[in-house]
């Protein structure tokens, strides 16, 4: 059976049929997946019964893995999954659902804000691949917004204003928006801000996109409240419904998105129900700003 794509979102997102991700992919299939990502920025693969090893093999067939080290509040000896995975579940290492007020859970609620994965790292992520192992009885959708469409829809004056701006991103800024501020000194050092351009150009298609994320908390050279108000307006613009695809999860779905061209956010679900989602991430090519400091 050969691979086929069917667009499911307004200007991004396609479902892919005809691929079994547990099997080795031909070079043609790998090229077709990258081409699909360049066009749609989000690809959905249904009914993929992957275990951890198969998810890793599939991910590595597309590029180099970004490890998740020190990016959550789970201590190294509390990890449920190896660092080749970002554990997006609400489960501890004994597979128990986090208590409602668990600090690790509250920190992870930052995923409910629009963001781009690892924008808080100097070299931010390329693709994320999220696989659903168990899903709650209701809620828990993931929404994706097309940052190319958002750029295209800006007026010329705003484009000129944002074109060369550089922001600072940190998980401290995103959590601050939720009122989560009790970081230890060690965590503050670990989550030190990094710089990112506000406008990116896709290396293959040449399309421009707004590089927004709730991790962005300052614009270099701007007063902080003015920067925050401006970024908030841009996020509001970029996440209008005409730019958004909402994914309703089924067990076995694998959704892959391009963090360079999209933002995403998790939607709420009943806090006592397990939601086992496991993410592998492809490393980005390099920093978005030419130099540090
Ligand atoms: C992620 C993420 C959203 C969700 O995996 O990076 O933000 O719905 N997930 O779990
Ligand atoms: Mn994310």
């Amino acid at each position: 059976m050969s691979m086929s794509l069917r667009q499911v979102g307004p200007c991004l997102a396609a479902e892919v049929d005809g691929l079994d991700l547990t099997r080795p992919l031909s070079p043609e299939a790998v090229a077709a997946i990258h081409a699909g990502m360049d066009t749609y920025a989000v690809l959905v693969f249904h009914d993929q019964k992957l275990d951890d090893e198969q998810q890793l093999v599939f991910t590595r067939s597309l590029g180099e893995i970004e490890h998740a080290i020190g990016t959550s509040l789970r201590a190294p000896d509390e990890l449920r999954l190896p660092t080749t995975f970002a554990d997006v579940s609400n489960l501890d290492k004994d597979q128990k659902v986090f208590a409602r007020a668990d600090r690790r859970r509250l920190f992870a609620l930052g995923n409910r804000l629009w963001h781009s994965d690892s924008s808080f790292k100097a070299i931010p992520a390329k693709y994320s691949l999220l696989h659903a192992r168990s899903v709650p009885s209701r809620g828990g959708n993931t929404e994706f917004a097309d940052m190319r469409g958002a750029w295209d829809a800006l007026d010329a004056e705003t484009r000129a204003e944002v074109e060369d701006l550089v922001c600072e991103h940190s998980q401290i800024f995103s959590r601050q928006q939720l009122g989560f501020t009790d970081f230890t000194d060690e965590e503050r050092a670990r989550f030190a801000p990094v710089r990112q351009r506000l406008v990116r150009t896709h290396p293959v298609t040449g399309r421009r996109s707004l590089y927004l994320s709730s991790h962005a908390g300052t614009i270099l050279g701007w007063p902080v409240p003015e920067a925050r108000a401006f970024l908030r307006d841009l996020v509001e613009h970029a996440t209008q419904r005409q730019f958004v695809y909402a994914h309703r999860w089924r067990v076995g779905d694998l959704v892959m998105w391009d963090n360079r061209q999209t933002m995403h956010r998790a939607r709420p679900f009943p806090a006592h129900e397990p939601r086992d989602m496991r993410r592998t991430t492809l490393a980005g090519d390099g920093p978005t700003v030419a130099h540090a400091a």
Side-chain angles (χ1 to χ4, degrees):
M1 192 182 183
S2 69
M3 169 176 160
S4 66
L5 280 78
R6 186 173 67 88
Q7 187 169 340
V8 290
C11 52
L12 76 172
E15 280 179 359
V16 182
D17 276 328
L19 278 186
D20 176 356
L21 303 184
T22 66
R23 302 185 56 80
L25 296 179
S26 66
E28 293 73 28
V30 169
I33 289 173
H34 284 298
M37 288 294 282
D38 291 345
T39 305
Y40 296 105
V42 178
L43 294 179
V44 176
F45 305 80
H46 292 297
D47 303 317
Q48 302 292 338
K49 299 206 168 44
L50 300 171
D51 61 22
D52 290 351
E53 189 52 36
Q54 290 166 327
Q55 183 169 346
L56 287 171
V57 169
F58 171 57
T59 305
R60 289 198 176 104
S61 70
L62 300 176
E64 187 201 326
I65 290 203
E66 177 191 285
H67 283 246
I69 298 173
T71 52
S72 79
L73 295 192
R74 292 175 194 252
D77 61 349
E78 287 174 350
L79 295 179
R80 193 178 66 110
L81 301 173
T83 60
T84 41
F85 284 85
D87 193 343
V88 183
S89 78
N90 57 353
L91 304 172
D92 68 16
K93 85 174 197 293
D94 302 317
Q95 318 294 333
K96 291 232 169 47
V97 174
F98 287 137
R100 190 158 184 192
D102 190 297
R103 204 167 167 265
R104 295 164 297 182
R105 170 179 186 264
L106 300 180
F107 181 83
L109 288 182
N111 277 347
R112 291 200 194 163
L113 303 178
W114 287 107
H115 67 280
S116 175
D117 288 335
S118 300
S119 75
F120 50 81
K121 292 186 182 177
I123 300 181
K126 185 181 180 187
Y127 302 165
S128 294
L129 299 85
L130 189 60
H131 188 239
R133 307 289 173 92
S134 74
V135 300
S137 61
R138 60 196 158 82
N141 288 356
T142 307
E143 296 182 341
F144 297 91
D146 191 340
M147 296 298 105
R148 308 163 303 180
W151 166 266
D152 292 345
L154 289 177
D155 58 52
E157 194 183 323
T158 311
R159 284 186 188 181
E161 188 174 22
V162 300
E163 193 149 35
D164 294 317
L165 294 179
V166 174
C167 298
E168 286 182 313
H169 294 231
S170 163
Q171 295 201 90
I172 292 178
F173 296 141
S174 45
R175 274 58 189 182
Q176 204 174 51
Q177 297 185 46
L178 296 177
F180 186 113
T181 52
D182 68 330
F183 291 101
T184 64
D185 290 343
E186 180 275 322
E187 287 162 354
R188 282 182 192 282
R190 182 145 57 88
F191 299 139
V194 303
R195 295 178 176 187
Q196 305 291 359
R197 297 188 58 85
L198 186 48
V199 180
R200 298 183 73 165
T201 304
H202 191 280
V204 176
T205 65
R207 285 190 75 176
R208 309 243 265 166
S209 56
L210 281 174
Y211 190 42
L212 292 167
S213 192
S214 65
H215 307 307
T218 74
I219 299 173
L220 294 188
W222 286 41
V224 169
E226 190 176 3
R228 299 259 174 117
F230 186 71
L231 290 169
R232 186 185 279 243
D233 282 348
L234 286 177
V235 169
E236 196 172 304
H237 160 78
T239 57
Q240 295 174 83
R241 295 330 281 183
Q242 68 265 29
F243 305 128
V244 173
Y245 163 68
H247 185 72
R248 197 190 171 95
W249 291 94
R250 304 193 319 228
V251 171
D253 284 351
L254 182 132
V255 179
M256 175 160 60
W257 60 89
D258 186 341
N259 288 293
R260 303 167 304 179
Q261 319 192 69
T262 60
M263 281 202 292
H264 60 282
R265 66 171 179 178
R267 304 310 294 144
F269 60 94
H272 59 278
E273 292 188 22
R275 181 175 186 261
D276 187 354
M277 311 285 284
R278 303 183 187 201
R279 194 185 91 204
T280 42
T281 311
L282 286 185
D285 295 336
T288 65
V289 284
H291 59 87

